Amino acid sequence: MKKTLRLLLMTVMAICFSLPCFGAAEAATVALLPLINNVEGGDELANTVFYKNALSVLNSKKGFVVVENDKLTAVIDAAKVGNKVPDAATLEKIAKDGDVDIVIAMQLDKLEDKVIDSSEERKLQIDMRGYAVAYNKLTGKAYTHRIYSDKTTPEALTSRWDWVHEEFGRAVRVETYRALRAK
């Protein structure tokens, strides 16, 4: 009787330990559209900051895989996005034709800082404006959010790094997290 009980217990334990193997889910595929950069003077560093921060978020989250192939590139080119973020119907079409689960796009309209002189100290104020949109084919939900910032910081603190692009990178990370969580 003891051996039978022990054998039954070992069988139950083996089944319990192997259950997580059967629940392996497939990763959601993500298409990251190129940044729609409407900043005067064509801020090329903003494109690099966008890709670096968006990809860092996507790579840090488990269950998401960035897709980049010729079929998806052709679908994005056929959508003729232009200078404005695509609407939900266009994002849905890109997701369907490109065979991806999530499509993320961002538009940057203004990114600059200006000096504010005061009696205390010189400060910098950022002026950042844009939009972030996403479509999740799995849930059928579209996400739209306005990017806006008018933060100020002492000018002396920004002398050693590019504060404007750091703030834009932070906004990209926040919007990418929000787009992935949109349900």
Side-chain angles (χ1 to χ4, degrees), residues 3-171:
K3 286 185 180 182
T4 307
L5 186 60
R6 196 175 289 162
L7 181 65
L8 181 63
L9 182 63
M10 292 298 281
T11 306
V12 170
M13 285 179 52
I15 290 172
C16 289
F17 284 131
S18 64
L19 280 179
C21 296
F22 298 120
E26 193 172 314
T29 55
V30 179
L32 188 62
L33 272 60
L35 177 67
I36 301 167
N37 193 345
N38 297 330
V39 175
E40 288 184 28
D43 187 355
E44 292 302 319
L45 186 57
N47 295 330
T48 306
V49 170
F50 167 71
Y51 279 114
K52 178 184 173 224
N53 286 285
L55 288 174
S56 71
V57 168
L58 291 168
N59 290 334
S60 70
K61 304 275 283 174
K62 292 190 187 308
F64 296 101
V65 175
V66 179
V67 175
E68 187 175 348
N69 56 35
D70 294 336
K71 178 183 175 184
L72 183 61
T73 304
V75 169
I76 293 170
D77 290 342
K80 295 183 176 132
V81 174
N83 289 337
K84 291 220 172 261
V85 288
D87 59 348
T90 306
L91 291 174
E92 182 179 2
K93 183 172 175 22
I94 291 171
K96 181 181 163 207
D97 295 344
D99 197 28
V100 292
D101 298 325
I102 301 171
V103 180
I104 299 173
M106 288 192 187
Q107 171 184 331
L108 183 62
D109 294 323
K110 195 166 194 179
L111 183 64
E112 62 185 17
D113 60 343
K114 64 179 179 179
V115 177
I116 299 173
D117 286 321
S118 69
S119 60
E120 298 170 359
E121 63 184 343
R122 289 173 57 107
K123 292 185 177 184
L124 290 178
Q125 181 176 23
I126 191 169
D127 188 8
M128 178 172 38
R129 295 184 212 152
Y131 293 94
V133 294
Y135 177 76
N136 189 331
K137 185 171 78 171
L138 302 173
T139 61
K141 301 288 182 183
Y143 167 80
T144 304
H145 192 257
R146 181 175 164 236
I147 300 170
Y148 176 80
S149 180
D150 61 350
K151 287 183 181 178
T152 58
T153 190
E155 185 181 35
L157 295 179
T158 64
S159 63
R160 295 195 179 243
W161 81 91
D162 188 1
W163 177 64
V164 174
H165 288 101
E166 283 288 324
E167 285 298 314
F168 175 60
R170 189 190 67 75

Side-chain angles (χ1 to χ4, degrees), residues 102-104 133-134 136 143 174-182:
I102 301 171
V103 180
I104 299 173
V133 294
N136 189 331
Y143 167 80
V174 166
E175 293 302 328
T176 305
Y177 277 125
R178 286 180 180 171
L180 294 176
R181 288 185 298 145

